[in-house]
Amino acid sequence: GDSTIALAREIYSTQQNTIYPNPFEEFFIVNSLENDVFILQSIDGTIIGNYKVIKGETRISKNLPKGIYIGTLLNQNQTFKIVKL
């Protein structure tokens, strides 16, 4: 029934937190397992922005210089290296 499909979808969609595309050019998408706060920092730790992310996909668009950035999902305590082309 529908509940089986919903459960399968739930399992599939809750595998892991991901960020893509990475490297990115104009925007990236945070795919989060839960509602969270995404903190974007420069490689030296300067905070560039805080973004509310929802469970699922949140698109983040920020005009940044080329380089390496650090992204952290605060509540899930997970950090990513993100590259801007």
Side-chain angles (χ1 to χ4, degrees):
D2 289 345
S3 60
T4 308
I5 294 167
L7 182 63
R9 193 174 290 138
E10 184 77 8
I11 291 167
Y12 175 74
S13 66
T14 56
Q15 289 174 336
Q16 60 180 345
N17 298 314
T18 53
I19 290 177
Y20 63 92
N22 189 11
F24 76 98
E25 290 186 38
E26 291 168 23
F27 68 90
F28 58 90
I29 290 168
V30 179
N31 193 357
S32 178
L33 303 185
E34 56 187 62
N35 293 347
D36 208 331
V37 175
F38 183 80
I39 301 172
L40 185 63
Q41 294 173 279
S42 61
I43 199 75
D44 67 4
T46 304
I47 294 179
I48 296 164
N50 289 325
Y51 306 88
K52 284 185 178 173
V53 296
I54 57 166
K55 180 178 177 180
E57 297 186 348
T58 303
R59 178 175 164 149
I60 295 178
S61 178
K62 184 120 177 86
N63 194 4
L64 297 166
K66 294 177 182 180
I68 298 171
Y69 296 87
I70 305 298
T72 304
L73 284 167
L74 192 61
N75 301 330
Q76 297 170 87
N77 196 23
Q78 188 170 3
T79 300
F80 304 87
K81 183 173 86 170
I82 308 166
V83 179
K84 166 72 162 66
L85 294 178

